[in-house]
Every structure is written in structure tokens, then in C-alpha cells.
């Protein structure tokens, strides 16, 4: 009896694993696309925070290590790159945030706090800053944390040792003039004094330089107008917030909290597009609007899951029918490979890969497109 010839199955893409950290990775984020890159040769960068005190910069396409920022004396909870990738900002348990030059690795400014710093942000996260080209270095950075205080810093003044954030003002008390870049008329200052009732765990600063978002342990997401220094919208969530990120592929703000994921319009403060109720506790979430998919990490297991944005269904399996030989083959799509909870998920600026950071101290890059890309050939 003749045996049936074997039929090659669709290839299962293996993620790239980035080693180097020695403790859990609570956060990672990508830069914007380099304006000189092309679709066939994209260029962008990835930064990771780590509880080993040493944030790292990598090539975002390949995961290759570029450098380590040395200077913090406590766990680094969050790390972000400016849109042009010329600056990095890190938030640490050593009661400080730092701004770094990504070329030299030099710390340009140390922004001190009176408690653990958990969140940092530059203007223009996720999308290009209105009125500010990607090639321009940002002047401002926002910090927050267990102090429950949202602070805005002039990087040049802070780097020179001038200005502070005490009380409600600071930096001479200058007032905004109401123009599109009103924040430029202020030195270091605080926004929403006394409003937050829990640790601020994330800051998002999108295309509008005058609007900023905070997510805190009081289970509130708030939108702030930096000209009036007041909240213009807020939305309560049904659990402790695990992540709050603005996604470049569609400009959607995704918030993971408890067993829910909230998707907000990134350009309209407080505008909820959709809420997804999950069957598990969600630690992190990121959305790709072009492919209508979102990716999650969980507090209770080590898997990375991909879901359909319209139905919420987990895209956990693909059944491939090989009609010629009357076979059905099941290919697992659920991302397995980490050995601890996945605390952070982020899509690349072109949406063709996503990165995950885990309790196991590793970063993985997962291909999210067809055809060759980066090191996947």
C-alpha cells in the first residue's frame, strides 16, 4: 500500500528572544519610524525598563542590543523614547526619573521625587507631534508615580539644575498664553494637584501637546489640559490598571484593567470606542487597528494571546485543511515561550511586529505580518 507523501505545513513563526536583563521587565516601548526608513528596510528602536536597574536600548526590528543606561539605583518601572529616538526617559524606584541622550548614553537630567517614580512620557507618543517634526528633540517630559503627582519638566532647565516642582507652581509661575504650544510658556510645574488618589502608573502624551492622559491605582483614567491644568475628562475602570498605552497603528488608547480592556479614541478625551470583557486578568494590552487585532498578556499565566478586535474572540488556533490528502492540521497561534507573566506588550510603529516583556527577564519579538520581515526570511 502506497504511503501518502508528506505535505509541508504553513511555517510557524518563532519569536526572537532578547536576553540581557537579569530581572523582570515591567515595561517596553518603541520609537516612531525613522523618517529615512522604507517599507522594505524599516528602522526604529525599542527601549525596555527592568527591575535590575538597567534600562536597555535595542534595534526595534532585530532586537539587537545597542546600549545600557547606567545610573539608576533602583528598579526601573517604565521607559520611553522620544518620537525621534534622540532621548530616552526612565522612571525608577530610586525616587527619580532620568532623561538620557540615546547616542552618548549620558544622563541629561535627573528629576527627583519624594517617592517611587512609576511613569514617564514625552509629547508625541504613538503618533507624530502636531507642529513638531519627528526629527526635532522634545523640550518637555512628564513624570509621575507613588507621590500621586503629575509633573511637567523643562528638560533644559532641569538639566541645568534650575527650577523645581513644589506646591502648585514652580519655575516662576509663568502662565500659558493659550496658543497651540501653550506648554512652552511654562517652566517645571504640577498638574491636577491633589486629584489623584492612587499611584499614577502610566502617562500618555499624544499628538496634541496640550492634552495628557494619566492612569492611576484609584481606577481612574484622566485627560488633562496643560493650559488650564485641569481635568477635561475622566473614565473609571473595573480593576487595577495594568497598562495604558497609545498605539501608533490607529491612534487608539488601550487600557488593561482587571478583566477588561478599554479602547479610547486617542484624539477625543474620554471617548470610549469599545470595552472588551475577558475571561482572565489582563496585565497588558496593545491594539493593531489595521489588522483589527489586539494582543494581551495575563497576570495568571505565561501566554501571549491574540484576539479579534470586532468579536473579542481569541485567535488561538488556525485549522489548516490539506484537501489533497484529506488531512486537518491544527496550528497553535497562542504565543508560548515566556516563563512568567507578560507585563508589557507593544506594537512596532509599522504594526508588523509586537514586543513582549515578561517576569522571566526576557523580551520577545513576534512577527505580525506575512512575508519576509527583519530577521524572518
Amino acid at each position: 500500500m502506497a504511503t501518502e507523501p508528506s505535505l509541508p505545513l504553513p511555517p510557524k513563526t518563532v519569536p526572537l528572544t532578547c536576553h540581557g536583563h537579569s530581572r523582570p521587565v515591567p515595561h517596553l516601548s518603541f520609537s516612531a519610524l525613522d523618517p529615512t526608513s522604507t517599507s522594505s528596510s524599516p528602522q526604529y528602536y525599542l527601549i525596555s525598563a527592568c527591575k535590575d536597574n538597567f534600562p536597555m536600548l535595542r534595534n526595534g526590528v532585530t532586537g539587537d542590543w545597542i546600549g545600557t543606561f547606567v545610573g539608576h539605583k533602583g528598579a526601573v518601572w517604565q521607559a520611553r523614547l522620544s518620537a525621534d529616538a534622540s532621548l530616552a526617559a526612565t522612571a525608577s524606584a530610586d525616587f527619580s526619573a532620568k532623561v538620557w541622550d540615546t547616542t552618548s548614553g549620558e544622563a541629561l537630567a535627573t528629576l527627583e521625587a519624594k517617592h517611587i517614580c512609576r511613569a514617564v512620557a514625552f509629547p508625541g507618543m504613538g503618533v507624530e507631534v502636531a507642529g513638531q517634526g519627528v526629527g526635532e528633540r522634545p523640550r518637555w517630559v512628564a513624570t509621575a508615580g507613588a507621590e500621586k503627582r503629575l509633573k511637567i519638566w523643562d528638560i533644559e532647565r532641569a538639566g541645568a539644575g534650575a527650577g523645581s516642582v513644589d506646591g502648585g507652581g514652580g519655575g516662576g509661575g509663568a502662565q500659558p498664553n493659550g496658543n497651540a504650544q501653550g506648554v512652552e510658556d511654562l517652566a517645571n510645574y504640577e498638574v491636577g494637584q491633589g486629584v489623584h488618589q492612587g499611584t499614577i502608573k502610566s502617562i500618555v502624551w499624544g499628538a496634541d501637546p496640550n492634552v495628557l492622559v494619566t492612569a492611576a491605582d484609584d481606577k481612574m483614567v484622566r485627560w488633562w489640559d496643560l493650559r488650564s491644568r485641569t481635568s477635561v475628562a475622566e473614565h473609571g475602570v473595573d480593576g487595577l490598571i495594568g497598562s495604558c498605552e497609545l498605539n501608533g497603528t490607529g491612534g487608539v488608547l488601550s487600557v488593561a484593567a482587571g478583566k477588561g480592556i478599554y479602547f479610547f479614541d486617542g484624539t477625543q478625551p474620554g471617548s470610549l470606542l469599545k470595552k472588551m470583557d475577558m475571561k482572565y486578568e489582563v496585565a497588558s494590552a496593545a491594539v493593531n487597528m489595521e489588522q483589527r487585532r489586539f494582543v494581551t498578556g495575563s497576570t495568571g499565566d505565561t501566554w501571549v494571546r491574540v484576539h479579534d478586535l470586532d468579536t473579542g474572540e481569541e485567535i488561538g488556533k488556525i485549522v489548516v485543511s490539506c484537501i489533497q490528502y484529506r488531512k486537518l492540521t491544527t496550528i497553535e497561534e497562542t504565543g508560548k515561550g515566556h516563563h512568567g507573566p507578560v507585563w508589557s506588550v507593544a506594537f512596532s510603529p509599522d504594526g508588523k511586529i509586537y514586543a513582549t516583556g515578561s517576569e522571566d527577564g526576557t523580551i520577545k519579538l513576534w512577527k505580525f505580518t506575512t512575508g519576509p520581515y527583519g530577521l524572518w526570511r
Side-chain angles (χ1 to χ4, degrees):
M1 181 175 178
T3 59
E4 297 175 347
S6 60
L7 187 70
L9 298 173
K12 180 174 174 59
T13 303
V14 177
L16 303 177
T17 301
C18 307
H19 297 283
H21 287 304
S22 60
R23 296 201 63 201
V25 179
H27 186 258
L28 44 76
S29 61
F30 287 98
S31 70
L33 272 171
D34 188 308
T36 63
S37 65
T38 64
S39 59
S40 60
S41 182
Q43 172 132 8
Y44 49 85
Y45 301 92
L46 174 69
I47 191 170
S48 56
C50 186
K51 292 184 179 180
D52 62 8
N53 307 358
F54 302 112
M56 290 185 178
L57 181 67
R58 298 177 183 275
N59 181 308
V61 178
T62 65
D64 290 340
W65 176 85
I66 294 175
T68 301
F69 300 102
V70 179
H72 279 299
K73 301 184 185 304
V76 177
W77 282 98
Q78 196 167 84
R80 297 197 188 276
L81 293 167
S82 60
D84 68 345
S86 67
L87 297 178
T90 52
S92 174
D94 65 8
F95 293 19
S96 78
K98 290 182 182 290
V99 178
W100 311 81
D101 183 301
T102 56
T103 300
S104 66
E106 176 188 1
L108 302 178
T110 297
L111 314 174
E112 296 182 354
K114 296 179 180 178
H115 212 311
I116 293 171
C117 193
R118 289 291 301 267
V120 287
F122 291 109
M125 290 168 50
V127 288
E128 185 173 337
V129 184
Q132 177 177 299
V134 169
E136 297 179 15
R137 178 179 282 201
R139 176 180 168 184
W140 302 92
V141 67
T143 66
E147 276 187 312
K148 309 173 189 176
R149 300 172 67 189
L150 171 61
K151 305 173 185 179
I152 311 297
W153 303 82
D154 181 319
I155 297 171
E156 292 182 3
R157 289 173 58 92
S164 63
V165 181
D166 291 310
Q175 297 297 315
N177 63 9
N179 62 19
Q181 299 285 340
V183 293
E184 291 188 0
D185 298 315
L186 299 172
N188 307 332
Y189 66 101
E190 182 179 356
V191 176
Q193 185 178 13
V195 174
H196 294 97
Q197 299 303 305
T199 296
I200 302 171
K201 296 174 74 173
S202 189
I203 306 170
V204 170
W205 201 345
D208 185 343
N210 294 312
V211 177
L212 187 149
V213 185
T214 56
D217 272 347
D218 57 9
K219 301 180 182 179
M220 295 295 294
V221 182
R222 297 180 175 90
W223 286 257
W224 300 92
D225 188 309
L226 299 185
R227 294 159 295 192
S228 64
R229 306 190 200 180
T230 59
S231 175
V232 294
E234 61 181 34
H235 196 288
V237 296
D238 297 329
L240 289 178
I241 293 172
S243 69
C244 176
E245 299 291 335
L246 184 63
N247 300 274
T249 54
V252 172
L253 182 76
S254 57
V255 179
K259 291 185 177 181
I261 304 173
Y262 302 75
F263 299 104
F264 296 93
D265 186 331
T267 63
Q268 298 294 324
S271 177
L272 181 66
L273 300 175
K274 179 178 288 191
K275 181 194 174 187
M276 289 290 188
D277 294 313
M278 315 306 290
K279 297 178 182 179
Y280 53 89
E281 294 283 336
V282 187
S284 53
V287 64
N288 185 316
M289 293 300 291
E290 293 177 0
Q291 296 197 35
R292 305 295 296 176
R293 300 284 188 265
F294 65 94
V295 180
T296 65
S298 170
T299 62
D301 57 41
T302 64
W303 292 358
V304 182
R305 294 177 170 87
V306 180
H307 290 264
D308 185 287
L309 181 61
D310 298 308
T311 66
E313 293 297 319
E314 181 178 346
I315 307 171
K317 295 179 180 179
I318 296 178
V319 178
V320 181
S321 176
C322 302
I323 299 175
Q324 183 178 356
Y325 304 120
R326 297 179 182 178
K327 291 182 179 179
L328 284 178
T329 302
T330 299
I331 298 177
E332 294 287 345
E333 273 274 306
T334 301
K336 299 178 181 180
H338 281 299
H339 300 285
V342 177
W343 300 121
S344 186
V345 181
F347 273 101
S348 62
D350 59 5
K352 294 184 177 180
I353 64 172
Y354 61 88
T356 53
S358 170
E359 180 76 16
D360 65 13
T362 67
I363 299 163
K364 290 185 182 292
L365 301 181
W366 309 76
K367 185 168 173 250
F368 208 66
T369 186
T370 58
Y373 188 87
L375 297 179
W376 291 281
R377 297 297 173 184

